Amino acid sequence: MKRLLVMLGLLVGSHVAMGADMSNGANNFYKSDTLIQQKVTFNNQYKMRVAGNLFIPKGWDPDVKGPAIIVGHPMGAVKEQSSNLYAQKLAEQGFVTLSLDLSFWGESEGRPRNAVSPDLYAEDFSAAVDFLGTQTFVDKNRIGVLGICGSGSFVISAAKIDPRMKAIATVSMYDMGAANRNGLKHSQTLEQRKKIIAEAAAQRDLEFAGGETRYTSGTVHEITEKSHPIEREFYDFYRTPRGEFTPEGQSPKLTTHPTLTSNVKFMNFYPFNDIASISPRPMLFIAGSEAHSLEFSQEAFKLAGEPKQLVIVPGAGHVDLYDRVKLIPFDSLSEFFRKNLK
């Protein structure tokens, strides 16, 4: 019924977007029949419950310690969007994998819902390392991390102060700090930034006095002839059956949208500062040649220490690498983690 309602919404609410683009093997809701999936929860350092999906290859010896990979979802998404797909595809290659919901999102704790806290997001990845390190079938000295979109910047932030993360990879990375301060390709002026900050401060006053919470950015709910190509790109994933997912207890009107008053915290987020300090732990950056976010992977690669690798996927856009399995270089990811989590 939920999928039917989504399709009806597409037909009635927008005369431009008539259906999901399922080209190049788009398969966000992939379900592997060779894995065991377990719902897990664990506390981060601030005693907030973090929820995740643990994927274990069938036949895995519980007494043999093997490598594990933590997978983080795009900013504003949940583990059921993109990260579950990546976690399963990598688990099929012989890894234990864990996709997690960041604090304030999905099934993880945190209030208000959809709040922005870059430090807590990074902490969640360290908490996932804590959790995996206690499992009898995981070698705590062979744990890697993978961040998709905004989580790419969060895993970098985490890895800078957590040497237990032995190999760090990103896909379609967004530097959420730079994107909010400067806009894409530095298209936002300082005056525009100050206006956003002032608006958030004014909203804090309103909400402290009992006013309703406001939300910002995220994915639009309708496409028109005037919609920007980037809006269309995200809409096709988040607002169609291709990738739409509303967590229990959440409203589809709020999915992907952070709170206005907390989103300005990204202005103080500088994940690439001291990125070279992660060396000699290896880093892999994957991005599409046509991705509007390509600048962030290129900048991170330039600043990172050795060893490092930048993989550009020809013809792929930013959201293409969320779920289009014919474009996603899973072989490159598997090779990277297999080599560096030996």
Side-chain angles (χ1 to χ4, degrees):
M1 177 62 70
K2 184 177 182 180
R3 294 274 177 248
L4 176 61
L5 290 174
V6 171
M7 286 302 297
L8 288 174
L10 286 175
L11 295 173
V12 176
S14 173
H15 59 278
V16 177
M18 297 299 291
D21 178 0
M22 303 301 290
S23 62
N24 285 302
N27 199 2
N28 178 69
F29 297 106
Y30 174 74
K31 296 291 185 183
S32 175
D33 59 5
T34 66
L35 305 173
I36 298 171
Q37 176 181 342
Q38 299 177 2
K39 279 188 170 293
V40 299
T41 60
F42 48 90
N43 285 344
N44 64 24
Q45 197 174 49
Y46 301 98
K47 308 305 178 185
M48 297 167 63
R49 190 184 71 249
V50 179
N53 288 328
L54 187 66
F55 297 97
I56 307 169
K58 289 182 178 178
W60 188 283
D61 188 336
D63 296 319
V64 174
K65 295 182 180 294
I69 304 168
I70 303 158
V71 183
H73 56 74
M75 177 60 206
V78 291
K79 61 185 179 301
E80 288 80 9
Q81 294 166 311
S82 192
S83 52
N84 272 355
L85 169 64
Y86 274 79
Q88 290 178 87
K89 289 294 187 180
L90 289 171
E92 289 177 339
Q93 299 301 311
F95 302 94
V96 171
T97 60
L98 173 64
S99 64
L100 71 161
D101 281 328
L102 297 178
S103 292
F104 308 103
W105 299 89
E107 295 179 291
S108 290
E109 287 187 338
R111 295 215 175 259
R113 303 308 292 166
N114 299 18
V116 167
S117 179
D119 285 348
L120 271 176
Y121 296 163
E123 162 59 25
D124 292 337
F125 286 98
S126 287
V129 176
D130 297 338
F131 168 77
L132 287 173
T134 66
Q135 306 306 302
T136 61
F137 47 86
V138 171
D139 184 343
K140 67 179 183 180
N141 294 311
R142 299 163 68 193
I143 297 176
V145 291
L146 166 62
I148 303 163
C149 184
S151 278
S153 58
F154 309 146
V155 298
I156 290 173
S157 179
K160 288 190 295 184
I161 56 173
D162 195 337
R164 300 174 302 169
M165 301 175 186
K166 302 302 183 183
I168 298 91
T170 72
V171 173
S172 287
M173 178 174 54
Y174 249 82
D175 175 346
M176 294 304 302
N180 279 273
R181 282 189 301 274
N182 308 320
L184 295 173
K185 299 181 180 178
H186 292 260
S187 58
Q188 181 170 276
T189 67
L190 177 58
E191 288 306 310
Q192 289 173 317
R193 184 199 311 177
K194 289 182 176 181
K195 182 178 179 181
I196 293 169
I197 293 171
E199 183 181 8
Q203 182 62 24
R204 285 184 68 118
D205 288 335
L206 290 174
E207 291 181 16
F208 190 81
E212 290 188 6
T213 301
R214 281 184 61 193
Y215 298 84
T216 187
S217 59
T219 302
V220 298
H221 293 266
E222 183 177 341
I223 292 295
T224 70
E225 292 89 345
K226 297 180 180 180
S227 296
H228 191 279
I230 295 177
E231 289 180 322
R232 295 173 181 273
E233 184 180 8
F234 282 113
Y235 180 96
D236 189 71
F237 182 78
Y238 287 111
R239 305 299 181 208
T240 77
R242 174 184 161 198
E244 188 277 332
F245 185 87
T246 302
E248 185 176 352
Q250 178 67 287
S251 165
K253 295 180 179 180
L254 298 181
T255 58
T256 78
H257 299 294
T259 63
L260 174 64
T261 56
S262 70
N263 197 64
V264 292
K265 288 178 171 51
F266 278 137
M267 302 284 189
N268 277 340
F269 182 48
Y270 293 84
F272 296 171
N273 281 6
D274 296 324
I275 189 175
S277 67
I278 293 173
S279 177
R281 287 174 289 152
M283 302 193 73
L284 169 64
F285 307 97
I286 296 175
S289 65
E290 307 307 308
H292 62 264
S293 58
L294 177 58
E295 60 180 293
F296 302 124
S297 293
Q298 291 174 325
E299 178 71 5
F301 176 73
K302 181 178 72 174
L303 296 173
E306 296 288 352
K308 59 184 176 181
Q309 182 181 4
L310 176 63
V311 173
I312 304 296
V313 182
H318 176 87
V319 181
D320 286 336
L321 299 186
Y322 283 13
D323 67 332
R324 299 195 190 283
V325 295
K326 292 182 180 179
L327 295 176
I328 299 169
F330 287 114
D331 288 346
S332 296
L333 280 166
S334 298
E335 179 184 356
F336 171 76
F337 284 118
R338 190 171 292 114
K339 174 184 176 182
N340 295 296
L341 298 178
K342 288 189 296 186

